[in-house]
Amino acid sequence: MSLDLKPKPKPLTTPSAEQAGDVRAPGARRRRTVALKGASFTVPFFAGFVLFTVVPVILALSDSLYTSKSSGLGFGEKTVTFSGFENFSRALEDERFWGSMWRVALFAVIVIPLIQFASLALALLLDAVRRRAAGRLRIALLVPYMAPGIVATLIWIYLYSPDVGPLTPFFKLFGIDANFYSGEMIWVSVGNLVAWGSIGFNMLIVYGALQAVPRDIFDSARVDGASEWRIAWSIKVPYVRRSLVLVSVLGIIGTLQIFSEPLLFRSMTPETVNKDFTPIMTIYNQAFAIGDFNYAAALSIVLALVVGLVSAVFYKLTNKAPT
């Protein structure tokens, strides 16, 4: 019979919940503080969003439910009455409004793919050159975007002018009679102006997405014998597809609300660009020329719903993970 005189090891004990909470508490508080500090940077954005987007939409929705009428052949005092959805039913039957909507939609179908193709091509070009050269070219391509839209429009109106602009005499040297204010050319003129201000911004977003692609993938593809064109088409383009979807959605939103460019063109060629040329111009005319703010508010709500619906459908159909 033998006796085991070795000391028995003490059983391992787990800390109680209170003790674990005391250990994790400083780290959790620090992470919570950091998260709150980070979230505080979004306060100015949300304050501006609420003040300049949510509040105007609520006011427009409220105004759209009323109708103002003047007695005495329009010269009497105006009376505002609750009319429910009468302005909306009127908007759905307004041929001028929907005509401008289809006109701008057709313009968007043509011009947005061209802008995205040019933006992607420039981003791939910048990604292919050396970093120092890419930095200089990037700034040069962003210069048109930095110019305010009104200023850019005035510059191009001068360039398009058949009387004092240089473009009409230039094309005449080649036997081309280009009238940029004619009905056949007006959308080309506006599209060139939209592309002028959009390509640099879109290129910057796509180029930023390209910089996030791991460079090892490109090296592996080159070792396997892939050409630069093959790498661009099969690797780079799929990786930046979500960025292309983002800038396309922004393009849809901006194009359907195009306003300042055709409005300034109207000052030069009112017979081509009428007062209902785009949906926003129709709304502007109803509000500030006719004075029917309630109906203009209803048109604004309808336009916002159309823009939101088209953007959501496009985003749903195209935003897929690269395969």
Side-chain angles (χ1 to χ4, degrees):
M1 182 177 180
S2 63
L3 296 175
D4 186 5
L5 299 178
K6 294 181 179 179
K8 294 183 179 180
K10 294 182 179 178
L12 297 175
T13 58
T14 57
S16 62
E18 291 77 7
Q19 292 174 336
D22 293 339
V23 173
R24 291 194 296 265
R29 281 198 296 269
R30 192 181 308 113
R31 287 193 295 272
R32 195 179 304 115
T33 303
V34 171
L36 289 175
K37 287 182 178 178
S40 66
F41 287 99
T42 64
V43 172
F45 166 77
F46 283 106
F49 177 75
V50 171
L51 183 61
F52 297 109
T53 302
V54 176
V55 172
V57 168
I58 294 175
L59 293 176
L61 187 59
S62 174
D63 289 342
S64 64
L65 300 177
Y66 292 86
T67 302
S68 60
K69 294 181 180 179
S70 300
S71 60
L73 299 177
F75 296 101
E77 184 178 356
K78 282 189 176 182
T79 57
V80 180
T81 58
F82 181 78
S83 58
F85 294 100
E86 180 182 339
N87 286 321
F88 289 99
S89 61
R90 179 185 168 191
L92 295 177
E93 298 174 353
D94 193 334
E95 295 182 356
R96 294 173 300 177
F97 176 72
W98 290 105
S100 65
M101 188 79 80
W102 286 115
R103 188 181 299 121
V104 172
L106 180 60
F107 170 72
V109 168
I110 296 173
V111 75
I112 289 179
L114 294 177
I115 291 176
Q116 306 312 336
F117 177 78
S119 304
L120 176 62
L122 290 174
L124 292 174
L125 176 64
L126 288 182
D127 189 64
V129 300
R130 294 183 177 180
R131 188 173 296 273
R132 178 177 296 180
R136 295 173 179 172
L137 290 173
R138 187 174 53 197
I139 294 175
L141 293 172
L142 275 177
V143 169
Y145 173 71
M146 296 175 185
I150 297 296
V151 175
T153 304
L154 293 175
I155 292 174
W156 278 102
I157 283 178
Y158 161 73
L159 296 176
Y160 287 147
S161 174
D163 299 325
V164 296
L167 292 180
T168 301
F170 173 77
F171 281 103
K172 280 186 178 178
L173 295 176
F174 303 95
I176 301 174
D177 186 14
N179 183 3
F180 294 97
Y181 293 154
S182 64
E184 295 78 13
M185 290 288 293
I186 190 64
W187 278 117
V188 177
S189 304
V190 176
N192 175 60
L193 190 55
V194 173
W196 168 264
S198 303
I199 288 178
F201 174 75
N202 295 349
M203 177 274 303
L204 188 63
I205 294 179
V206 177
Y207 178 72
L210 276 175
Q211 299 307 300
V213 181
R215 297 287 143 175
D216 297 342
I217 300 177
F218 304 152
D219 297 335
S220 301
R222 293 189 182 97
V223 171
D224 292 338
S227 64
E228 293 299 324
W229 167 253
R230 181 69 174 174
I231 292 173
W233 181 254
S234 300
I235 300 177
K236 294 183 179 180
V237 173
Y239 264 98
V240 300
R241 188 166 62 187
R242 288 188 172 179
S243 297
L244 288 173
V245 171
L246 171 64
V247 294
S248 298
V249 170
L250 295 177
I252 291 172
I253 296 172
T255 305
L256 291 180
Q257 301 181 76
I258 188 172
F259 174 66
S260 59
E261 293 88 352
L263 185 65
L264 289 178
F265 274 101
R266 176 172 165 73
S267 64
M268 300 300 298
T269 173
E271 67 278 2
T272 302
V273 182
N274 57 43
K275 59 186 179 181
D276 300 313
F277 198 65
T278 67
I280 294 291
M281 289 180 68
T282 304
I283 296 171
Y284 178 84
N285 180 59
Q286 289 291 334
F288 299 104
I290 300 177
D292 194 348
F293 287 96
N294 302 104
Y295 182 54
L299 291 177
S300 302
I301 296 296
V302 173
L303 177 61
L305 291 176
V306 171
V307 171
L309 179 63
V310 173
S311 302
V313 171
F314 180 83
Y315 187 81
K316 181 67 176 178
L317 294 177
T318 57
N319 187 37
K320 297 178 181 178
T323 56

Short mmCIF file of all heavy atoms in Angstrom, two decimals, residues 112-155:
data_model
loop_
_atom_site.label_atom_id
_atom_site.label_comp_id
_atom_site.label_asym_id
_atom_site.label_seq_id
_atom_site.Cartn_x
_atom_site.Cartn_y
_atom_site.Cartn_z
N ILE A 112 -25.66 58.95 -70.35
CA ILE A 112 -25.05 58.36 -69.16
C ILE A 112 -24.09 57.23 -69.51
O ILE A 112 -22.96 57.18 -68.99
CB ILE A 112 -26.15 57.90 -68.17
CG1 ILE A 112 -26.82 59.13 -67.56
CG2 ILE A 112 -25.56 57.02 -67.07
CD1 ILE A 112 -27.94 58.79 -66.59
N PRO A 113 -24.44 56.27 -70.40
CA PRO A 113 -23.44 55.24 -70.76
C PRO A 113 -22.19 55.84 -71.39
O PRO A 113 -21.08 55.35 -71.14
CB PRO A 113 -24.21 54.35 -71.74
CG PRO A 113 -25.63 54.54 -71.39
CD PRO A 113 -25.76 55.96 -70.98
N LEU A 114 -22.34 56.88 -72.21
CA LEU A 114 -21.17 57.50 -72.83
C LEU A 114 -20.26 58.12 -71.76
O LEU A 114 -19.03 57.99 -71.82
CB LEU A 114 -21.61 58.56 -73.84
CG LEU A 114 -22.35 58.04 -75.08
CD1 LEU A 114 -22.80 59.21 -75.96
CD2 LEU A 114 -21.47 57.10 -75.88
N ILE A 115 -20.86 58.79 -70.78
CA ILE A 115 -20.07 59.40 -69.71
C ILE A 115 -19.36 58.34 -68.88
O ILE A 115 -18.17 58.46 -68.54
CB ILE A 115 -20.98 60.28 -68.83
CG1 ILE A 115 -21.45 61.51 -69.60
CG2 ILE A 115 -20.26 60.70 -67.55
CD1 ILE A 115 -22.42 62.38 -68.83
N GLN A 116 -20.07 57.25 -68.57
CA GLN A 116 -19.44 56.19 -67.75
C GLN A 116 -18.32 55.50 -68.52
O GLN A 116 -17.29 55.15 -67.94
CB GLN A 116 -20.50 55.16 -67.32
CG GLN A 116 -21.71 55.71 -66.62
CD GLN A 116 -21.36 56.69 -65.52
OE1 GLN A 116 -20.28 56.67 -64.95
NE2 GLN A 116 -22.27 57.60 -65.23
N PHE A 117 -18.52 55.31 -69.82
CA PHE A 117 -17.46 54.69 -70.62
C PHE A 117 -16.22 55.58 -70.65
O PHE A 117 -15.09 55.09 -70.48
CB PHE A 117 -17.97 54.43 -72.04
CG PHE A 117 -16.93 53.85 -72.96
CD1 PHE A 117 -16.60 52.50 -72.90
CD2 PHE A 117 -16.27 54.66 -73.87
CE1 PHE A 117 -15.63 51.97 -73.73
CE2 PHE A 117 -15.29 54.14 -74.70
CZ PHE A 117 -14.98 52.79 -74.64
N ALA A 118 -16.41 56.88 -70.86
CA ALA A 118 -15.27 57.80 -70.88
C ALA A 118 -14.59 57.86 -69.51
O ALA A 118 -13.35 57.89 -69.42
CB ALA A 118 -15.74 59.19 -71.31
N SER A 119 -15.39 57.86 -68.43
CA SER A 119 -14.82 57.90 -67.08
C SER A 119 -14.01 56.65 -66.79
O SER A 119 -12.91 56.72 -66.23
CB SER A 119 -15.94 58.05 -66.05
OG SER A 119 -16.73 59.19 -66.31
N LEU A 120 -14.54 55.49 -67.18
CA LEU A 120 -13.82 54.23 -66.96
C LEU A 120 -12.53 54.19 -67.77
O LEU A 120 -11.48 53.76 -67.26
CB LEU A 120 -14.74 53.06 -67.33
CG LEU A 120 -14.10 51.66 -67.26
CD1 LEU A 120 -13.67 51.35 -65.83
CD2 LEU A 120 -15.07 50.61 -67.77
N ALA A 121 -12.60 54.63 -69.03
CA ALA A 121 -11.40 54.62 -69.87
C ALA A 121 -10.30 55.51 -69.29
O ALA A 121 -9.12 55.13 -69.25
CB ALA A 121 -11.77 55.05 -71.29
N LEU A 122 -10.69 56.70 -68.82
CA LEU A 122 -9.70 57.60 -68.24
C LEU A 122 -9.13 57.04 -66.93
O LEU A 122 -7.94 57.19 -66.66
CB LEU A 122 -10.33 58.97 -67.99
CG LEU A 122 -10.65 59.78 -69.26
CD1 LEU A 122 -11.41 61.05 -68.90
CD2 LEU A 122 -9.37 60.13 -69.99
N ALA A 123 -9.99 56.40 -66.12
CA ALA A 123 -9.51 55.81 -64.87
C ALA A 123 -8.52 54.68 -65.15
O ALA A 123 -7.49 54.55 -64.48
CB ALA A 123 -10.69 55.30 -64.05
N LEU A 124 -8.82 53.85 -66.14
CA LEU A 124 -7.89 52.77 -66.50
C LEU A 124 -6.59 53.35 -67.05
O LEU A 124 -5.51 52.80 -66.79
CB LEU A 124 -8.55 51.86 -67.54
CG LEU A 124 -9.74 51.02 -67.04
CD1 LEU A 124 -10.39 50.29 -68.21
CD2 LEU A 124 -9.29 50.03 -65.97
N LEU A 125 -6.69 54.44 -67.79
CA LEU A 125 -5.48 55.07 -68.32
C LEU A 125 -4.61 55.61 -67.19
O LEU A 125 -3.38 55.43 -67.18
CB LEU A 125 -5.87 56.20 -69.28
CG LEU A 125 -4.72 57.03 -69.85
CD1 LEU A 125 -3.83 56.16 -70.73
CD2 LEU A 125 -5.26 58.21 -70.65
N LEU A 126 -5.23 56.27 -66.22
CA LEU A 126 -4.47 56.79 -65.09
C LEU A 126 -3.85 55.67 -64.27
O LEU A 126 -2.74 55.80 -63.75
CB LEU A 126 -5.38 57.63 -64.18
CG LEU A 126 -5.82 58.99 -64.71
CD1 LEU A 126 -6.65 59.70 -63.66
CD2 LEU A 126 -4.62 59.84 -65.07
N ASP A 127 -4.56 54.55 -64.16
CA ASP A 127 -4.04 53.42 -63.39
C ASP A 127 -2.85 52.76 -64.09
O ASP A 127 -2.06 52.08 -63.44
CB ASP A 127 -5.15 52.40 -63.16
CG ASP A 127 -4.74 51.32 -62.19
OD1 ASP A 127 -4.49 51.66 -61.01
OD2 ASP A 127 -4.65 50.15 -62.60
N ALA A 128 -2.77 52.95 -65.40
CA ALA A 128 -1.72 52.29 -66.16
C ALA A 128 -0.42 53.10 -66.21
O ALA A 128 0.64 52.52 -66.45
CB ALA A 128 -2.20 52.00 -67.59
N VAL A 129 -0.51 54.42 -65.99
CA VAL A 129 0.69 55.25 -66.07
C VAL A 129 1.35 55.33 -64.70
O VAL A 129 0.82 54.84 -63.70
CB VAL A 129 0.34 56.66 -66.58
CG1 VAL A 129 -0.28 56.60 -67.95
CG2 VAL A 129 -0.59 57.38 -65.60
N ARG A 130 2.49 55.97 -64.66
CA ARG A 130 3.20 56.09 -63.38
C ARG A 130 2.44 57.00 -62.43
O ARG A 130 1.68 57.85 -62.83
CB ARG A 130 4.60 56.67 -63.64
CG ARG A 130 5.49 55.73 -64.43
CD ARG A 130 6.88 56.31 -64.59
NE ARG A 130 7.76 55.38 -65.28
CZ ARG A 130 9.04 55.63 -65.57
NH1 ARG A 130 9.56 56.81 -65.23
NH2 ARG A 130 9.77 54.74 -66.19
N ARG A 131 2.70 56.79 -61.12
CA ARG A 131 1.91 57.49 -60.10
C ARG A 131 2.05 59.01 -60.20
O ARG A 131 1.09 59.74 -60.02
CB ARG A 131 2.35 57.00 -58.71
CG ARG A 131 1.48 57.50 -57.57
CD ARG A 131 1.89 56.83 -56.29
NE ARG A 131 1.65 55.40 -56.35
CZ ARG A 131 0.50 54.84 -56.03
NH1 ARG A 131 -0.51 55.58 -55.65
NH2 ARG A 131 0.36 53.53 -56.10
N ARG A 132 3.26 59.51 -60.47
CA ARG A 132 3.45 60.95 -60.54
C ARG A 132 2.68 61.53 -61.72
O ARG A 132 2.00 62.56 -61.60
CB ARG A 132 4.93 61.27 -60.67
CG ARG A 132 5.22 62.76 -60.81
CD ARG A 132 6.70 63.05 -60.86
NE ARG A 132 7.37 62.68 -59.62
CZ ARG A 132 8.67 62.85 -59.41
NH1 ARG A 132 9.44 63.36 -60.37
NH2 ARG A 132 9.21 62.50 -58.26
N ALA A 133 2.77 60.87 -62.87
CA ALA A 133 2.02 61.34 -64.04
C ALA A 133 0.52 61.24 -63.80
O ALA A 133 -0.26 62.12 -64.23
CB ALA A 133 2.41 60.54 -65.27
N ALA A 134 0.10 60.19 -63.09
CA ALA A 134 -1.33 60.03 -62.79
C ALA A 134 -1.84 61.17 -61.92
O ALA A 134 -2.96 61.67 -62.11
CB ALA A 134 -1.57 58.69 -62.10
N GLY A 135 -1.03 61.62 -60.97
CA GLY A 135 -1.45 62.73 -60.12
C GLY A 135 -1.66 64.02 -60.90
O GLY A 135 -2.63 64.73 -60.67
N ARG A 136 -0.74 64.29 -61.84
CA ARG A 136 -0.89 65.51 -62.63
C ARG A 136 -2.09 65.43 -63.57
O ARG A 136 -2.85 66.38 -63.71
CB ARG A 136 0.40 65.75 -63.43
CG ARG A 136 1.60 66.04 -62.54
CD ARG A 136 2.88 66.10 -63.34
NE ARG A 136 4.03 66.39 -62.48
CZ ARG A 136 5.29 66.35 -62.89
NH1 ARG A 136 5.56 66.05 -64.15
NH2 ARG A 136 6.27 66.63 -62.04
N LEU A 137 -2.26 64.27 -64.23
CA LEU A 137 -3.40 64.12 -65.14
C LEU A 137 -4.72 64.16 -64.38
O LEU A 137 -5.72 64.68 -64.88
CB LEU A 137 -3.28 62.81 -65.90
CG LEU A 137 -2.16 62.74 -66.95
CD1 LEU A 137 -2.05 61.33 -67.51
CD2 LEU A 137 -2.44 63.73 -68.08
N ARG A 138 -4.72 63.64 -63.16
CA ARG A 138 -5.95 63.61 -62.36
C ARG A 138 -6.42 65.02 -62.05
O ARG A 138 -7.60 65.33 -62.14
CB ARG A 138 -5.69 62.82 -61.08
CG ARG A 138 -6.91 62.57 -60.23
CD ARG A 138 -6.54 61.67 -59.08
NE ARG A 138 -5.40 62.19 -58.33
CZ ARG A 138 -4.68 61.47 -57.50
NH1 ARG A 138 -4.97 60.20 -57.32
NH2 ARG A 138 -3.67 62.00 -56.85
N ILE A 139 -5.49 65.89 -61.69
CA ILE A 139 -5.86 67.28 -61.41
C ILE A 139 -6.36 67.97 -62.66
O ILE A 139 -7.35 68.72 -62.64
CB ILE A 139 -4.64 68.02 -60.81
CG1 ILE A 139 -4.30 67.42 -59.45
CG2 ILE A 139 -4.93 69.51 -60.68
CD1 ILE A 139 -3.05 68.01 -58.83
N ALA A 140 -5.69 67.71 -63.80
CA ALA A 140 -6.12 68.35 -65.05
C ALA A 140 -7.53 67.91 -65.44
O ALA A 140 -8.34 68.72 -65.91
CB ALA A 140 -5.12 68.00 -66.15
N LEU A 141 -7.84 66.63 -65.23
CA LEU A 141 -9.16 66.12 -65.60
C LEU A 141 -10.25 66.60 -64.64
O LEU A 141 -11.44 66.59 -64.99
CB LEU A 141 -9.14 64.59 -65.64
CG LEU A 141 -8.28 63.99 -66.75
CD1 LEU A 141 -8.17 62.47 -66.58
CD2 LEU A 141 -8.87 64.31 -68.12
N LEU A 142 -9.85 67.02 -63.44
CA LEU A 142 -10.85 67.49 -62.46
C LEU A 142 -11.17 68.97 -62.61
O LEU A 142 -12.11 69.45 -62.01
CB LEU A 142 -10.33 67.23 -61.03
CG LEU A 142 -10.61 65.85 -60.46
CD1 LEU A 142 -9.99 65.72 -59.08
CD2 LEU A 142 -12.11 65.57 -60.38
N VAL A 143 -10.37 69.69 -63.38
CA VAL A 143 -10.59 71.13 -63.53
C VAL A 143 -12.00 71.46 -64.03
O VAL A 143 -12.67 72.35 -63.48
CB VAL A 143 -9.52 71.75 -64.44
CG1 VAL A 143 -9.87 73.19 -64.82
CG2 VAL A 143 -8.16 71.73 -63.74
N PRO A 144 -12.54 70.78 -65.06
CA PRO A 144 -13.92 71.09 -65.48
C PRO A 144 -14.95 70.88 -64.38
O PRO A 144 -15.92 71.63 -64.28
CB PRO A 144 -14.16 70.11 -66.64
CG PRO A 144 -12.80 69.79 -67.14
CD PRO A 144 -11.91 69.78 -65.94
N TYR A 145 -14.73 69.87 -63.52
CA TYR A 145 -15.68 69.62 -62.42
C TYR A 145 -15.60 70.73 -61.38
O TYR A 145 -16.60 71.04 -60.72
CB TYR A 145 -15.38 68.27 -61.79
CG TYR A 145 -16.19 68.00 -60.56
CD1 TYR A 145 -17.56 67.73 -60.65
CD2 TYR A 145 -15.60 68.02 -59.30
CE1 TYR A 145 -18.31 67.49 -59.52
CE2 TYR A 145 -16.34 67.78 -58.16
CZ TYR A 145 -17.70 67.52 -58.28
OH TYR A 145 -18.44 67.29 -57.15
N MET A 146 -14.41 71.32 -61.21
CA MET A 146 -14.25 72.36 -60.20
C MET A 146 -14.98 73.65 -60.59
O MET A 146 -15.35 74.44 -59.73
CB MET A 146 -12.76 72.66 -59.99
CG MET A 146 -11.96 71.50 -59.44
SD MET A 146 -10.20 71.87 -59.36
CE MET A 146 -9.53 70.29 -58.82
N ALA A 147 -15.15 73.87 -61.89
CA ALA A 147 -15.82 75.09 -62.33
C ALA A 147 -17.31 75.01 -62.01
O ALA A 147 -17.95 73.97 -62.24
CB ALA A 147 -15.63 75.28 -63.83
N PRO A 148 -17.91 76.05 -61.46
CA PRO A 148 -19.36 76.04 -61.19
C PRO A 148 -20.16 75.79 -62.46
O PRO A 148 -19.75 76.21 -63.56
CB PRO A 148 -19.61 77.44 -60.62
CG PRO A 148 -18.30 77.89 -60.09
CD PRO A 148 -17.26 77.28 -60.99
N GLY A 149 -21.28 75.11 -62.32
CA GLY A 149 -22.08 74.75 -63.49
C GLY A 149 -22.54 75.94 -64.30
O GLY A 149 -22.55 75.91 -65.54
N ILE A 150 -22.93 77.02 -63.61
CA ILE A 150 -23.40 78.21 -64.32
C ILE A 150 -22.26 78.82 -65.14
O ILE A 150 -22.45 79.22 -66.30
CB ILE A 150 -23.94 79.24 -63.31
CG1 ILE A 150 -25.16 78.67 -62.56
CG2 ILE A 150 -24.32 80.52 -64.03
CD1 ILE A 150 -26.34 78.39 -63.43
N VAL A 151 -21.08 78.88 -64.54
CA VAL A 151 -19.93 79.45 -65.25
C VAL A 151 -19.59 78.60 -66.48
O VAL A 151 -19.34 79.12 -67.57
CB VAL A 151 -18.72 79.54 -64.30
CG1 VAL A 151 -17.49 80.03 -65.05
CG2 VAL A 151 -19.04 80.47 -63.14
N ALA A 152 -19.57 77.27 -66.30
CA ALA A 152 -19.28 76.39 -67.43
C ALA A 152 -20.31 76.54 -68.54
O ALA A 152 -19.97 76.55 -69.73
CB ALA A 152 -19.23 74.94 -66.94
N THR A 153 -21.58 76.69 -68.15
CA THR A 153 -22.63 76.86 -69.16
C THR A 153 -22.44 78.16 -69.94
O THR A 153 -22.57 78.19 -71.17
CB THR A 153 -24.01 76.87 -68.48
OG1 THR A 153 -24.16 75.66 -67.73
CG2 THR A 153 -25.12 76.95 -69.51
N LEU A 154 -22.10 79.24 -69.24
CA LEU A 154 -21.89 80.51 -69.93
C LEU A 154 -20.69 80.43 -70.88
O LEU A 154 -20.72 81.00 -71.98
CB LEU A 154 -21.68 81.62 -68.89
CG LEU A 154 -22.90 81.96 -68.03
CD1 LEU A 154 -22.54 82.97 -66.94
CD2 LEU A 154 -24.02 82.50 -68.91
N ILE A 155 -19.65 79.73 -70.45
CA ILE A 155 -18.48 79.58 -71.32
C ILE A 155 -18.85 78.83 -72.60
O ILE A 155 -18.49 79.26 -73.71
CB ILE A 155 -17.34 78.84 -70.57
CG1 ILE A 155 -16.81 79.71 -69.44
CG2 ILE A 155 -16.23 78.44 -71.53
CD1 ILE A 155 -15.80 79.01 -68.56
#
